[in-house]
Amino acid sequence: AQKITQTQPGMFVQEKEAVTLDCTYDTSDPSYGLFWYKQPSSGEMIFLIYQGSYDQQNATEGRYSLNFQKARKSANLVISASQLGDSAMYFCAMRDQYNQGGKLIFGQGTELSVKP
Amino acid sequence: GAVVSQHPSWVICKSGTSVKIECRSLDFQATTMFWYRQFPKQSLMLMATSNEGSKATYEQGVEKDKFLINHASLTLSTLTVTSAHPEDSSFYICSATKVRETQYFGPGTRLLVL
């Protein structure tokens, strides 16, 4: 069965510093997609970044990058130059590319707090 | 990114009444919509998968007769919580996607059943 694990319930980072949010996954499927979403206190889920299992390079989107280590089954999110507005819950998610209707399986989430 | 709306954003109702929540994809046609439930400080729990024109697929443990899902068009899905009770109070959030593409989420609906 597919599983996503985020082992950091909460993280603190100083403004302007970089922070890494951990995510490990487990799947027997050769093709899958990995996602990171941000959920501020308002509740909306904001898509940040996507990594396909066959992508050769790590995904990047502005200040967000995904450190994809396939052999270790990890997909850590790196946020560079943290801003106060980055304070939120962050969820890692995985999708089986071809089965299960494309549904996502979410990790437990990490609450990030950015200190001024 | 794509825009998904939800209505209402907040709803308070009396125990025993039914509540309908709408989820719309505003600038794209969604082949699939998903409905999630989230309790405070917890992750999202998938309730059901909804494809346009067909019956929703419910996750194990989700009561089909209590959480009615209708996906009438490629841009609209509705979730009706029937005979709501206080334990149904939660944050309900939908997402919409094209085939095997990124899921885009609505802003969510906070339901409080008194």
Side-chain angles (χ1 to χ4, degrees), chain B residues 17-87:
Chain B
T17 61
S18 294
V19 174
K20 180 184 282 188
I21 303 169
E22 290 187 349
C23 176
R24 293 181 184 270
S25 55
L26 297 184
D27 54 359
F28 70 102
Q29 292 187 324
T31 51
T32 306
M33 290 184 171
F34 300 86
W35 286 95
Y36 296 85
R37 184 175 181 176
Q38 185 181 30
F39 292 106
K41 300 294 185 182
Q42 293 187 22
S43 188
L44 279 71
M45 182 189 78
L46 179 66
M47 299 174 68
T49 302
S50 171
N51 292 294
E52 185 264 340
S54 61
K55 289 184 179 180
T57 302
Y58 291 82
E59 294 298 300
Q60 192 172 7
V62 177
E63 298 176 61
K64 301 178 183 181
D65 296 332
K66 182 164 191 62
F67 299 100
L68 300 179
I69 292 172
N70 182 278
H71 195 152
S73 74
L74 285 172
T75 59
L76 173 64
S77 177
T78 59
L79 168 68
T80 302
V81 183
T82 62
S83 186
H85 291 285
E87 58 266 28

Side-chain angles (χ1 to χ4, degrees), chain B residues 83-101:
Chain B
S83 186
H85 291 285
E87 58 266 28
D88 298 323
S89 299
S90 188
F91 184 62
Y92 293 88
I93 189 166
C94 72
S95 70
T97 184
K98 298 178 185 178
V99 177
R100 292 196 295 275
E101 292 191 8

Side-chain angles (χ1 to χ4, degrees), chain A residues 35 37 39 41-45 47 50 89 91 95 97-98 100-104 106-109 111, chain B residues 32 34 36 38 41-44 46 49 59 91 93 97-98 100-108 110:
Chain A
F35 300 78
Y37 287 88
Q39 187 179 41
S41 56
S42 58
E44 62 185 313
M45 292 285 284
F47 166 69
Y50 166 80
M89 283 291 290
F91 291 96
R95 182 184 70 198
Q97 294 288 68
Y98 297 106
Q100 302 181 54
K103 64 182 181 181
L104 292 174
F106 284 88
Q108 304 92 318
E111 185 171 12
Chain B
T32 306
F34 300 86
Y36 296 85
Q38 185 181 30
K41 300 294 185 182
Q42 293 187 22
S43 188
L44 279 71
L46 179 66
T49 302
E59 294 298 300
F91 184 62
I93 189 166
T97 184
K98 298 178 185 178
R100 292 196 295 275
E101 292 191 8
T102 300
Q103 285 188 31
Y104 292 96
F105 285 80
R110 297 190 188 278

